[in-house]
Every structure is written in structure tokens, then in C-alpha cells.
Amino acid sequence: MRILIRTSRMAIWARRLGSVAIPLVIIAVLLHRFRLITSDLFMAAAITAGLVALVAVLVSLLALARLWWSGDQGWGKALAGLLFGTIALMPFLYFGSLAMRYPAVTDIATAARDAMPLMFEPGTAAMPPPRMLSAVQMAEEFPNVETRTYPLGIIPTFALVQQLVADNGWDVRRLSEPGEVGQVNAQIMTLPGWREEVVVRVTGSADQSAVDMRSASLHALHDFGSNGQRIEAFLAALDEAVTTTLRDNPAANQPAEADSEAEAPAPQAQ
């Protein structure tokens, strides 16, 4: 007499749900990055994908527990569902940990925001109002987000800023060459497809300069720490670039004196 061992239907559903969860996450991100869906629709799609992934994990665990007691077939399907569901949940776990680590903020700046306006101002294109930190919160969360002052002229400092913006691959949307003020507005796209705007403002004279920076999320309700981290990383790189420039060229902050010496007529022989 032949004994038939059935395949657990719960294990079958676990693999099906897990197989669907990963494409749902990927498709939602791609559609958002290519601007084929709005941020609101992206959030709805992401939540749906997360729920499917969570259900896949739960069903997989229940299927494994039932297989242990029943002896049915379907271990491979249950484990596949658990693996796929876990992979689909990983982005949600990662961003959830960032949400717990950083406060819900969308706009970080080293100075008054009126001096560093965005090209996409809050209140336009259905943008939510910005969420900002108090001075105390800023000092606690991002202690290195501070105005930089350098013993280097505004023109060479602005050139270093432009180079760092290019090195980061940011999309420059507006460039104001330095007179008394030089400014760069650039846009960045995060991995899930959120757009964020950076403003770097350089002021000063021929022998000194000050650099301020602003980074803001355009349509998100939480930046997961990206704006503050971006400013800290950029200003740290700028500190290093200015230090290297002054070390390798000590006269870099004295263009006027260098030019006057070059233009001075040579003394005539008596």
C-alpha cells in the first residue's frame, strides 16, 4: 500500500507571498526614482509591499512549525518564502532603525535659511512644511554642522566647493559665480527615490571666506538623517581640501599681492 505525503498548502502560500514581495519593493522604488508615480503613491506601494513581506514571513514560520509536527512536504517552499520575505523586509528594517536613531527632520542648515533659498520652496508642488531642529537638538545630533571660515579667498574656496559638488555627482540646478557671494543649488536623489536639495553659499573677500550649507528633503516627511550627515561629510571634505590647498600653495590666499608683484616693472640698470 502506497502512502501519499501531501505538500503543505501553507508552505505553498508562503513561497508565493515571498516571491511577490520582492518584486513589489523593487517596482515601487523604480517607479518612484523615474518619477512615474508620486511620493504619496510610492508610500502606499511601499507599505503594501512591506505588509506582503511581513505576511510572507509569518506564514512561512507557521508553515515550518506545522511541517515539524505533521511530517508533510514543503520544507523548501516554506524556507524559500521565509528567505524572500526577509529580504523584502530588510529595507524597512533598515529605514526603521534610522527613524528611531534620528529625529523626524527634513531641513538642516548652518545659517538662516532666508540667505539660502531653495529652488523648490516649501509650500510649492504639494511640498509638506519643513521640519527643523532647535539649536540644542542640532548640537546633539549633528555637532559638525557649523559655518566654516577659511583663510582662503572666496574665488579659490568656491572653486573647491564646485569640485566637491562635481565629485559627489550632484545635479547642479543653479550656479551663481562669486562676487560678494557665490552659491550652488544642487539636487540629490536618495536610494528610494526621494529628492533632496543642497545649497552651498560662499561669502568673503580676496583673502578669507565663509561657507554655509543647507540640505532639505523636498517631499519626504523624514530624512532618516541624510541631510545632516550630508552636510557634515561635505564640510569635512571641504576642510581637508582647503587645508591641502593652503599647504601646497601658501600664497593661494594672496592673489592681489601676487598679481601686483607680477605686474611691477623690472628695475632699470643704471
Side-chain angles (χ1 to χ4, degrees):
M1 180 177 178
R2 185 177 181 183
I3 300 176
L4 297 176
I5 302 177
R6 64 179 183 178
T7 300
S8 170
R9 292 182 61 83
M10 191 173 292
I12 295 173
W13 274 105
R15 189 182 65 175
R16 288 176 179 174
L17 290 170
S19 300
V20 170
I22 292 179
L24 283 178
V25 173
I26 295 174
I27 291 172
V29 170
L30 290 178
L31 291 176
H32 193 218
R33 287 180 64 88
F34 288 105
R35 298 187 176 184
L36 298 177
I37 58 175
T38 63
S39 295
D40 292 340
L41 289 177
F42 169 69
M43 286 300 299
I47 291 173
T48 300
L51 290 175
V52 172
L54 180 61
V55 171
V57 170
L58 294 176
V59 172
S60 298
L61 293 175
L62 290 174
L64 290 171
R66 185 167 182 176
L67 289 172
W68 179 264
W69 292 105
S70 67
D72 291 343
Q73 293 183 346
W75 284 91
K77 293 180 175 59
L79 290 172
L82 180 61
L83 175 63
F84 295 153
T86 302
I87 292 174
L89 277 179
M90 287 179 65
F92 298 93
L93 296 174
Y94 173 70
F95 283 101
S97 66
L98 292 179
M100 296 178 63
R101 165 66 179 84
Y102 295 101
V105 61
T106 60
D107 196 336
I108 300 289
T110 62
R113 290 164 176 80
D114 294 342
M116 296 180 286
L118 302 174
M119 291 184 65
F120 302 89
E121 286 290 351
T124 63
M127 283 181 59
R131 297 181 176 183
M132 297 174 286
L133 297 177
S134 66
V136 174
Q137 289 175 319
M138 182 80 76
E140 292 178 351
E141 297 293 338
F142 305 107
N144 294 319
V145 175
E146 295 180 334
T147 301
R148 296 299 201 269
T149 56
Y150 302 115
L152 184 66
I154 183 174
I155 292 178
T157 300
F158 191 76
L160 293 175
V161 166
Q162 286 183 276
Q163 184 60 53
L164 286 176
V165 169
D167 291 344
N168 281 295
W170 297 343
D171 182 12
V172 176
R173 297 302 182 90
R174 179 183 295 164
L175 179 66
S176 301
E177 294 291 344
E180 295 182 357
V181 177
Q183 183 167 303
V184 178
N185 285 62
Q187 194 173 117
I188 300 101
M189 180 167 56
T190 64
L191 182 60
W194 299 109
R195 271 68 179 180
E196 297 178 341
E197 184 171 344
V198 166
V199 185
V200 186
R201 184 173 185 265
V202 184
T203 57
S205 60
D207 58 358
Q208 61 181 358
S209 59
V211 179
D212 284 297
M213 189 171 177
R214 178 184 183 185
S215 185
S217 303
L218 300 181
H219 297 286
L221 298 176
H222 199 311
D223 69 357
F224 303 102
S226 64
N227 289 307
Q229 291 178 342
R230 180 178 299 116
I231 294 178
E232 287 189 321
F234 185 90
L235 293 180
L238 184 59
D239 290 343
E240 183 176 352
V242 171
T243 299
T244 301
T245 298
L246 292 174
R247 181 195 63 199
D248 296 342
N249 185 13
N253 61 338
Q254 300 174 350
E257 295 180 11
D259 292 343
S260 63
E261 291 176 0
E263 295 174 359
Q268 297 181 355
Q270 297 294 329

